[in-house]
Amino acid sequence: MLTFLPFALVGHMWAAVPGLVAGNTLALFPRIAGWSAFALVVAATSLLQTPALLPWSLGSPPLEAAIATTATGLLISGYVIRRHDQGTAPPASPEEPQRLARDLHDLLGYSLSAIKLKSELAHRLTPSQPDRAQEHLADILDIAGRALSDVRSLARSYRRLSLSDTSDSAKTMLAAANIDVRVELDHTPMPEEIETVLATVLREAITNVLRHSDAENCAITVRQADGAVELDVVNDGATDRPISSDCNGVRNQAERVHAAGGTFIARHVGTDRFHVHASIPTATAA
């Protein structure tokens, strides 16, 4: 009751809670009971996101809700089990829950934005171009699979991201949204710690382009000079976007870049452009 009744009052703002419940069922119940409860939580969450059945639903499409609940549940179960297995280890630091929340936001924000975009395209194309709609549905399955892989790696406390793969994915997503995108990568191989930070910043920047602007053009540039690697993402159509929008994402990326010894800037340029800049010295990679 405490998990699902608040949906009637606050709608999608409560959407993260079922994933926490689902994850703990896997960690605390026997295998069959745990997976059965997990499946029931995911199914119920998807049902609550169906406007045709529950008119007050303000959340995401049912598929997106199911994927978000599943991914969050798997992450939480892995985290709880890992802490249980390390019962003799020192207690987690006060920063550990903050790190977990930050990584969860960064992981699922990008993947769910991609799933939402692809779902809308598939829904629009199904009547007139079913073949193209099927292509987008296949992309959704692929994105969901990669999101679950990311969540499992996060449960193991480390995940490596490829800047090249992230750039290719960003280009595909922006093109699907009818945004003219230009990608320029000019750098030598870099330490994987720096590459992971920059790839995470790029994912968040692209998520915000899709969510918080009416962009028609976007430029992604990565270059290496003077002992540092620099990432720049510039898009138009950001007239109505305050810098504080999605402040968790901006703050998360600033913390990541600063922890790597770099600088991070997110600001408006001119009348309608938004610029995200991250620069990390390669010499600071430990």
Side-chain angles (χ1 to χ4, degrees), residues 135-151:
E135 294 176 2
H136 288 301
L137 290 175
D139 290 341
I140 291 172
L141 293 175
D142 181 62
I143 295 168
R146 284 189 275 115
L148 293 178
S149 177
D150 285 343
V151 167

Side-chain angles (χ1 to χ4, degrees), residues 165-260:
D165 291 345
T166 302
S167 300
D168 291 341
S169 174
K171 185 175 182 179
T172 300
M173 284 181 59
L174 292 172
N178 294 321
I179 298 174
D180 186 19
V181 57
R182 177 175 59 84
V183 178
E184 181 181 346
L185 304 180
D186 183 16
H187 62 84
T188 60
M190 68 186 77
E192 65 179 46
E193 296 88 349
I194 292 179
E195 185 173 11
T196 294
V197 172
L198 292 178
T200 304
V201 172
L202 177 57
R203 287 166 65 126
E204 181 63 25
I206 297 305
T207 299
N208 288 334
V209 170
L210 294 171
R211 293 177 57 189
H212 300 301
S213 74
D214 296 318
E216 295 181 355
N217 299 276
C218 182
I220 302 171
T221 306
V222 179
R223 56 180 176 273
Q224 194 166 2
D226 299 327
V229 182
E230 298 182 347
L231 166 68
D232 291 280
V233 180
V234 181
N235 66 277
D236 58 9
T239 305
D240 298 327
R241 177 189 170 186
I243 292 180
S244 60
S245 65
D246 196 21
C247 60
N248 285 337
V250 173
R251 182 173 62 250
N252 288 351
Q253 304 324 309
E255 290 176 354
R256 290 180 185 278
V257 175
H258 293 160

